């Protein structure tokens, strides 16, 4: 059982400068392009590997409260294409949230094939690498899919590991099982 306060209605007064309060997410804000992505996709004859180019935009949002809970965050949009192709290969939207009081990082994500997830981790605010996870069937950090995906391509778990680099860039690796 979580240790929540007795007063669940009183909201804290947030700082107005979201960028100054993003904790471990600070280095992720901005518009980024990655040219060395690799997707491993399940196929009947075995995994198919495909290179991709990714554009990710992460913009600060105003602080968000749930009673005493306070989040600072980034709204994001990711668009992925195959090299030399204009058609979208993958599209994803969501939020990266930082809760300073508990040291929690949350990623919410949604893709237009009928799937959504929420992954989180509790960590220190100065951490350069952090890993978030979501699991099918979890009520707090879960994965939900449309009936066809649940039948044919069920996602049991989602893990994303983010690394913030000293040169001001960042990278990630994600695994879906």
């Amino acid at each position: 059982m979580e240790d929540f306060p007795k007063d669940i209605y009183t909201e804290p007064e947030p700082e107005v400068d979201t960028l100054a309060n993003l904790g471990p997410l600070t280095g992720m804000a901005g518009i980024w392009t990655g040219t060395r992505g690799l997707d491993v996709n399940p196929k009947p004859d075995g995994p198919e590997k495909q290179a991709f180019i990714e554009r990710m935009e992460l913009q600060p949002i105003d602080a968000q409260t749930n009673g005493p809970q306070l989040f600072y965050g980034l709204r994001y949009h990711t668009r992925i294409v195959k090299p030399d192709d204009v058609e979208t290969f993958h599209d994803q939207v969501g939020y990266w949230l930082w809760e300073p009081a508990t040291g929690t990082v949350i990623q919410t994500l949604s893709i237009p094939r009928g799937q959504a997830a929420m992954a989180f981790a509790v960590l220190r605010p100065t951490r350069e690498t952090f890993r978030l996870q979501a699991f099918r069937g979890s009520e707090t950090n879960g994965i939900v899919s449309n009936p066809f995906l649940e039948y044919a391509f069920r996602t049991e778990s989602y893990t994303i590991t983010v690394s913030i680099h000293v040169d001001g860039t960042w990278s990630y690796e994600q695994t879906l099982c």
Side-chain angles (χ1 to χ4, degrees):
M1 184 73 179
E2 296 286 334
D3 187 23
F4 295 115
K6 291 184 195 287
D7 177 2
I8 61 169
Y9 300 104
T10 302
E11 295 180 348
E13 191 63 40
E15 298 287 329
V16 295
D17 186 355
T18 295
L19 284 174
N21 290 283
L22 285 171
L25 305 179
T26 300
M28 295 170 63
I31 299 173
W32 303 90
T33 301
T35 58
R36 299 185 321 193
L38 180 65
D39 179 62
V40 180
N41 197 2
K43 296 293 179 189
D45 297 329
E48 175 185 61
K49 295 180 180 182
Q50 298 179 37
F52 65 82
I53 298 169
E54 177 175 25
R55 181 182 188 277
M56 187 178 294
E57 184 172 339
L58 297 104
Q59 298 295 331
I61 61 171
D62 290 338
Q64 303 292 306
T65 59
N66 293 321
Q69 196 173 37
L70 172 64
F71 291 111
Y72 294 96
L74 299 166
R75 178 184 322 113
Y76 78 93
H77 176 227
T78 301
R79 181 173 182 264
I80 296 175
V81 296
K82 295 177 188 177
D84 303 318
D85 201 348
V86 296
E87 182 181 344
T88 301
F89 177 67
H90 178 80
D91 194 79
Q92 182 174 311
V93 296
Y95 293 91
W96 283 94
L97 303 171
W98 168 242
E99 184 183 18
T102 62
T104 301
V105 172
I106 298 174
Q107 180 195 25
T108 66
L109 64 98
S110 180
I111 60 174
R113 292 189 301 267
Q115 192 170 52
M118 183 167 65
F120 70 85
V122 177
L123 49 107
R124 295 186 311 269
T126 58
R127 189 94 185 237
E128 288 89 20
T129 299
F130 50 92
R131 184 177 73 166
L132 287 70
Q133 295 182 293
F135 302 96
R136 181 177 167 274
S138 173
E139 293 181 358
T140 57
N141 59 320
I143 301 164
V144 292
S145 302
N146 79 54
F148 174 75
L149 288 179
E150 186 66 17
Y151 162 76
F153 298 103
R154 179 178 293 162
T155 302
E156 296 290 338
S157 66
Y158 165 80
T159 301
I160 184 165
T161 303
V162 175
S163 298
I164 308 294
H165 307 292
V166 293
D167 66 358
T169 62
W170 65 282
S171 60
Y172 73 92
E173 289 187 28
Q174 64 185 26
T175 304
L176 288 86
C177 298

